[in-house]
Amino acid sequence: MRKTNRLAMCALAVAVSCMFAGCTNTAQQAESDDASAQQTVQGGTTPVTADATTLDGIVDAIENDFETTETDITTKLDDVKAKAGGSYADYVENSSMLTDWLADAQAETEALISRTDENAAKYYTLLAQQAPTMDWNDISDSMTAFYRAVYDDAFSNLYRSVYTDAYKNVYRTFYDSVMKDAYNTVSYKEASDAKSSVYRAISDAQSSLYRTISDAQSNTYRTYSDVHSEFYNDNYDLSKVLGD
């Protein structure tokens, strides 16, 4: 039997998917990891679009893309700290490096999200092609696997790695340490103005990054939920949901 207690499951389908990490799809167990295309983005090399031949391969590409982007952003911050974060004099000489990093972290995150949307669409499209011959439980497991890997883990790691940890590092280095040195180097007014300026720049950039990640995660969930509902209703044409 393809579906059990169909009416009861309809109301609970999405909630069940969010609560349980499903068993590995039997069709996916034999799938090997796929190499993903590469592209240079803001000086960092990250996967662009996944090879859409396996579900596992697409998820792997998304996960690798997040990890590579996070590493690139944090590595660039280390360089900024080394050149502009040692003293107020270093900051004055290389202040543009911090400004560039703030903009670059935002740009790389936006590019990552765009690629993730593309790869998510590939995942759902491929699953839609396979779904007519699959048991409902296997379809639901495949949807849950994507939800767990991308919505739960990938976005949570991005938030923690960049929004929380990297920006905490920025505040400690530039707002706390460097600006403290400013009061020992220049006049009180100049140091105070510089500290206020640095705080506003960092705070504004962090707020923008938060909105970007939060909106993207919400959109990821919304699409996941819509696709899940389509599959439950035996509708495998996702053109309306994915906007094709």
Side-chain angles (χ1 to χ4, degrees), residues 175-231:
Y175 181 72
D176 291 339
S177 180
V178 168
M179 291 303 130
K180 181 178 180 180
D181 181 58
Y183 286 97
N184 298 323
T185 307
V186 296
S187 68
Y188 179 88
K189 183 180 186 309
E190 181 178 343
S192 179
D193 289 347
K195 187 173 185 179
S196 296
S197 179
V198 165
Y199 179 83
R200 284 195 301 272
I202 298 172
S203 178
D204 289 349
Q206 189 179 29
S207 295
S208 294
L209 186 69
Y210 176 83
R211 287 192 297 271
T212 297
I213 296 174
S214 179
D215 289 349
Q217 193 172 25
S218 296
N219 290 336
T220 296
Y221 178 80
R222 188 178 302 110
T223 302
Y224 157 84
S225 181
D226 290 345
V227 171
H228 193 283
S229 296
E230 294 297 315
F231 285 161

Side-chain angles (χ1 to χ4, degrees), residues 38-60:
Q38 300 289 316
Q39 169 183 325
T40 299
V41 179
Q42 297 287 328
T45 301
T46 53
V48 179
T49 54
D51 182 343
T53 58
T54 68
L55 297 175
D56 283 347
I58 296 172
V59 169
D60 286 345

Side-chain angles (χ1 to χ4, degrees), residues 58-121:
I58 296 172
V59 169
D60 286 345
I62 293 173
E63 291 176 328
N64 291 336
D65 199 2
F66 271 80
E67 292 172 4
T68 304
T69 301
E70 292 160 21
T71 298
D72 189 58
I73 290 172
T74 55
T75 298
K76 288 178 180 177
L77 177 57
D78 289 340
D79 185 52
V80 175
K81 288 172 55 183
K83 296 177 181 177
S87 66
Y88 183 67
D90 290 340
Y91 171 75
V92 170
E93 183 178 355
N94 298 292
S95 61
S96 62
M97 293 187 68
L98 176 59
T99 302
D100 291 344
W101 182 86
L102 296 173
D104 185 71
Q106 178 70 28
E108 286 207 47
T109 301
E110 290 175 355
L112 169 65
I113 290 167
S114 178
R115 294 191 300 271
T116 302
D117 289 342
E118 293 178 14
N119 288 331

Side-chain angles (χ1 to χ4, degrees), residues 113-147:
I113 290 167
S114 178
R115 294 191 300 271
T116 302
D117 289 342
E118 293 178 14
N119 288 331
K122 287 191 173 187
Y123 185 93
Y124 295 138
T125 299
L126 180 59
L127 182 56
Q129 294 169 358
Q130 299 174 356
T133 61
M134 296 171 64
D135 183 84
W136 165 248
N137 289 333
D138 291 335
I139 297 173
S140 183
D141 286 348
S142 294
M143 290 295 293
T144 300
F146 181 89
Y147 177 94

